[in-house]
Amino acid sequence: MKDELYVTIPQGKLLGKEWISTFTGDTYYGFSRIPYAKPPVKELRFMPPQPADGWQGVRDATIEGDDCLQYSVFKLSLIGSEDCLHASIYTPEPPCKITSPKPVIVIIHWGGHAWGSCSSKICGCVDFMMKSDVVIVAFNYRLHVFGFLNLGIPECPGNMGLKDQVMLLKWVQNNIKYFGGDPNNVTLHGISSGASSVHLHMMSPMSKGLFHKVILQSGYALNPIWSYQVSPYERALELANVLGYKGSKNPQQVLKFFKSKNGADIVNGSGVLRNIKKTEDVIRFEAFSFLPSIERIEEGAFMLKTPREMFADMRPVPALLSMNQKEGMVVICADNNILKIVFKKLGKSVKENLWHYKITPDTLTMMTKKIRSFYFEQKNAPTADEIANLYTDMWFCEWNNMIDSLAAHPDSPPVYIYHFTFDGEYNFSKKWFGHTVLEDIKGAIHADDASYLLTYRILLEDSDGNIEYKEKESEIIRKMVSLVTNFVKTGNPNSAATNEVYWKPFHPQNPSHLLFDENLSIVEDRINPERVALWNEFIDIIKEEEPTVNKPEKNRTKMSNLDEMSGSNFMSMFSSFKP
């Protein structure tokens, strides 16, 4: 066995393997199934992560470990294990031959905090980027109930999935040098719910100093669907009841019950709970039922305030952020009946999707009237594009406020914005989720841009495991990889490979963005400026009418109000996928 395939870290010795990029044909090196925390099983189930143990001898890092336990939207079955807190490290050269530390990308996968993994078949294939002289880290974190059950007690404080991510970032700081990576040049990269996590890390004191740049593709922490949950204890009780719990509301008893249950039963029970929560009109119902939430135990907390309240704590770092042309189209991919339903029950749709705002009846009436006039040309037959535009704006209505906050000061680190509109064969979300409902979706939908940075082998491989890359899509891949990896290296995405434009940082007083289509171009304005102006008007009115929204809740360690928390359902984008 080649000596160059071995790496020794403080935990022990690893044996990796050579990988061959399906895109460039180049050889790179991978080390998989590296534990960054102890297995969160038995007494550690629902507890914050603990530092990983070491091992004797050589650990086989040539094979990938289990995904975290979940219901797979790809296989339509239960997969994974609770013993899943491991990372995969990919390097362009054998680590023993790297003489100068290379920039590091840490990828937080998508999946609504409910599914996804670092698997090379799904979210973690780095074939496109491995010729770009960077070290890449992909990893699993606990999902759904196992990652986000919050009982408000030290034995189950909540946000375990986010704390797993922090543990991984600490592990990277202590170990990435052994793989040739630079711990002082770490970019945290998230897609969809992963981008929401990145945004939360920018605000949580727990993550301070663990990364130096960020990339947020198709997401941020104020998305109302997969970013935040109001009533975690009530949701826990609902799931416990589904699973047969007959005891009291005492959190210790509820925890004892959950720890006694088989993991597969818990995941299947959450699917039953989704169906119970599902409403006939599909405007908004339970899909991502366990999400980041406020913690009531201050010691070791990841977040003690809502994402809106945490905005003031956001730490500016060099940032690259994207929005796709039709982010909201995924709601139609879930069920095209929503075309008629939303139009008929528009006021309810607005209220339900903006659940995290306190909207007065008069303001809701005003908003509904203006939305109907602004978005819908037909009086009784809305188009898919019209509904997609509305949902895009409801879900991203404060995205521009985040950008402005990051870029407002003259000395702020650079912030680069792009609008992805390319409609190609590899647009992952559209190819996978859209085909089940709409035959001919035009444009780029939610998270499609990530398809040109990471290889989704599950979609591109033929029956023999081969991939044939098309010329037009390959050029988009080269442009995307060049812009992203140059940003990772220098904080500036511009490079010789994309010299058709000069992409300048965003500034609120002089806004501009990169239009990312078959040809790159610069637009001297915000993305969708008329729509931004409309929603800025709405949000300003709403905030004026909720003067106490930014006041932090007091006495968070008390349990007296847990049983009185109000519930909140979440819109399912992928309703057809259920256990």
Side-chain angles (χ1 to χ4, degrees):
M1 187 63 66
K2 297 179 181 178
D3 290 342
E4 61 192 27
L5 298 180
Y6 291 95
V7 171
T8 300
I9 62 177
Q11 290 166 259
K13 195 170 186 177
L14 296 161
L15 171 64
K17 72 172 185 177
E18 295 180 347
W19 290 69
I20 305 295
S21 170
T22 60
F23 186 61
T24 67
D26 292 306
T27 298
Y28 62 97
Y29 300 83
F31 300 83
S32 302
R33 206 172 54 94
I34 309 171
Y36 68 86
K38 288 182 180 178
V41 298
K42 297 181 180 179
E43 71 278 1
L44 294 183
R45 181 191 269 184
F46 307 124
M47 286 285 286
Q50 303 297 311
D53 294 326
W55 56 84
Q56 298 294 320
V58 178
R59 182 179 177 87
D60 185 357
T62 66
I63 55 175
E64 296 184 296
D66 288 335
D67 295 347
C68 287
L69 191 61
Q70 62 189 275
Y71 181 78
S72 170
V73 298
F74 301 104
K75 298 182 178 180
L76 301 183
S77 63
L78 194 73
I79 64 169
S81 163
E82 290 184 67
D83 182 1
C84 62
L85 298 186
H86 55 253
S88 296
I89 316 293
Y90 301 99
T91 66
E93 305 172 61
C96 63
K97 294 185 177 180
I98 296 176
T99 58
S100 180
K102 299 183 184 298
V104 179
I105 307 174
V106 176
I107 300 170
I108 303 180
H109 68 73
W110 53 265
H113 303 295
W115 53 73
S117 74
C118 67
S119 163
S120 62
K121 285 282 187 183
I122 308 297
C123 307
C125 186
V126 299
D127 278 7
F128 297 161
M129 290 189 281
M130 288 317 301
K131 199 174 182 178
S132 299
D133 216 31
V134 294
V135 172
I136 300 179
V137 182
F139 69 102
N140 292 337
Y141 65 93
R142 279 174 284 180
L143 303 169
H144 214 278
V145 184
F146 304 98
F148 297 96
L149 185 71
N150 183 346
L151 300 181
I153 54 178
E155 298 86 352
C156 184
N159 296 327
M160 288 74 70
L162 291 167
K163 293 170 185 176
D164 292 345
Q165 295 172 12
V166 173
M167 179 66 79
L168 179 281
L169 290 170
K170 290 179 178 178
W171 186 93
V172 166
Q173 285 296 304
N174 293 326
N175 292 278
I176 203 65
K177 63 184 177 182
Y178 300 108
F179 299 88
D182 184 356
N184 297 310
N185 190 1
V186 175
T187 298
L188 190 55
H189 169 215
I191 304 161
S192 185
S193 60
S196 299
S197 293
V198 172
H199 192 193
L200 289 173
H201 286 295
M202 296 170 69
M203 300 184 285
S204 172
M206 184 176 283
S207 312
K208 187 176 182 180
L210 297 179
F211 56 93
H212 312 94
K213 306 183 198 71
V214 294
I215 299 171
L216 285 76
Q217 291 184 305
S218 271
Y220 73 130
L222 268 67
N223 180 290
I225 308 305
W226 55 74
S227 293
Y228 174 64
Q229 181 177 8
V230 170
S231 52
Y233 192 69
E234 181 181 86
R235 193 54 39 82
L237 289 176
E238 290 173 338
L239 178 58
N241 290 335
V242 165
L243 293 170
Y245 180 66
K246 304 296 184 183
S248 72
K249 293 184 179 181
N250 180 285
Q252 296 286 353
Q253 293 301 313
V254 175
L255 177 62
K256 183 178 179 181
F257 174 79
F258 274 119
K259 284 195 170 184
S260 72
K261 301 300 290 184
N262 178 272
D265 291 339
I266 293 175
V267 175
N268 287 328
S270 69
V272 174
L273 179 61
R274 278 203 305 275
N275 292 336
I276 292 173
K277 292 292 182 182
K278 182 177 179 179
T279 58
E280 291 182 359
D281 56 22
V282 202
I283 286 175
R284 190 166 70 88
F285 60 86
E286 187 65 39
F288 309 122
S289 53
F290 291 88
L291 297 165
S293 59
I294 293 175
E295 295 172 55
R296 307 187 70 86
I297 306 298
E298 292 192 20
E299 185 177 357
F302 182 89
M303 55 189 287
L304 294 167
K305 298 181 288 187
T306 70
R308 287 183 67 196
E309 293 168 340
M310 293 170 72
F311 244 56
D313 304 323
M314 189 162 53
R315 297 182 296 276
V317 294
L320 191 157
L321 303 98
S322 78
M323 180 185 290
N324 285 263
Q325 181 182 14
K326 298 175 182 177
E327 293 281 351
M329 188 66 80
V330 287
V331 73
I332 303 169
C333 295
D335 191 330
N336 63 356
N337 289 327
I338 204 167
L339 290 172
K340 297 177 182 179
I341 295 167
V342 170
F343 191 75
K344 183 179 179 181
K345 300 182 179 182
L346 185 57
K348 181 179 180 181
S349 177
V350 172
K351 183 178 180 180
E352 291 292 294
N353 280 280
L354 298 180
W355 61 268
H356 54 328
Y357 297 99
K358 297 176 181 178
I359 306 176
T360 66
D362 287 345
T363 296
L364 182 61
T365 299
M366 177 274 296
M367 291 173 64
T368 303
K369 183 178 180 180
K370 286 193 173 185
I371 286 170
R372 193 177 295 278
S373 173
F374 186 89
Y375 287 92
F376 305 121
E377 294 182 4
Q378 302 291 333
K379 296 302 181 184
N380 55 6
T383 67
D385 281 350
E386 288 170 343
I387 294 294
N389 288 342
L390 172 59
Y391 271 81
T392 298
D393 296 342
M394 284 197 294
W395 292 350
F396 283 79
C397 59
E398 287 204 64
W399 190 74
N400 278 275
N401 293 341
M402 174 187 69
I403 297 168
D404 288 352
S405 297
L406 285 171
H409 193 276
D411 296 328
S412 296
V415 178
Y416 295 91
I417 312 300
Y418 73 84
H419 192 202
F420 191 81
T421 60
F422 178 71
D423 188 354
E425 291 291 323
Y426 305 159
N427 287 39
F428 170 79
S429 290
K430 185 167 64 176
K431 191 176 179 72
W432 184 260
F433 297 111
H435 76 279
T436 60
V437 177
L438 297 177
E439 293 295 328
D440 190 25
I441 301 174
K442 300 296 184 184
I445 74 171
H446 177 68
D448 270 344
D449 56 334
S451 313
Y452 298 89
L453 189 64
L454 296 170
T455 319
Y456 291 89
R457 291 188 177 187
I458 196 169
L459 291 185
L460 299 184
E461 287 181 343
D462 61 21
S463 58
D464 296 322
N466 300 312
I467 300 176
E468 180 181 353
Y469 289 102
K470 299 179 183 297
E471 182 177 352
K472 184 168 63 172
E473 283 74 13
S474 294
E475 183 59 24
I476 295 297
I477 291 169
R478 283 188 283 269
K479 290 178 180 179
M480 179 69 76
V481 169
S482 175
L483 291 169
V484 167
T485 57
N486 214 57
F487 171 80
V488 167
K489 294 173 186 177
T490 68
N492 184 337
N494 293 285
S495 70
T498 53
N499 60 8
E500 59 194 283
V501 298
Y502 177 73
W503 187 6
K504 62 183 179 182
F506 177 91
H507 194 276
Q509 276 69 54
N510 187 25
S512 65
H513 67 274
L514 175 71
L515 182 61
F516 203 131
D517 208 319
E518 190 167 352
N519 296 308
L520 305 181
S521 61
I522 300 297
V523 179
E524 298 291 344
D525 208 334
R526 296 180 183 272
I527 299 171
N528 302 323
E530 295 84 4
R531 289 155 57 180
V532 169
L534 177 70
W535 284 90
N536 281 347
E537 175 190 341
F538 292 160
I539 297 302
D540 286 346
I541 292 171
I542 291 169
K543 287 183 175 179
E544 286 179 5
E545 294 177 343
E546 50 174 22
T548 62
V549 72
N550 290 319
K551 292 182 180 179
E553 182 184 346
K554 296 181 180 180
N555 301 321
R556 297 195 184 280
T557 57
K558 294 182 178 180
M559 293 294 297
S560 58
N561 295 325
L562 279 176
D563 295 343
E564 286 74 38
M565 290 182 183
S566 61
S568 174
N569 299 335
F570 292 84
M571 174 67 206
S572 170
M573 294 182 300
F574 311 119
S575 60
S576 60
F577 304 116
K578 55 185 181 290

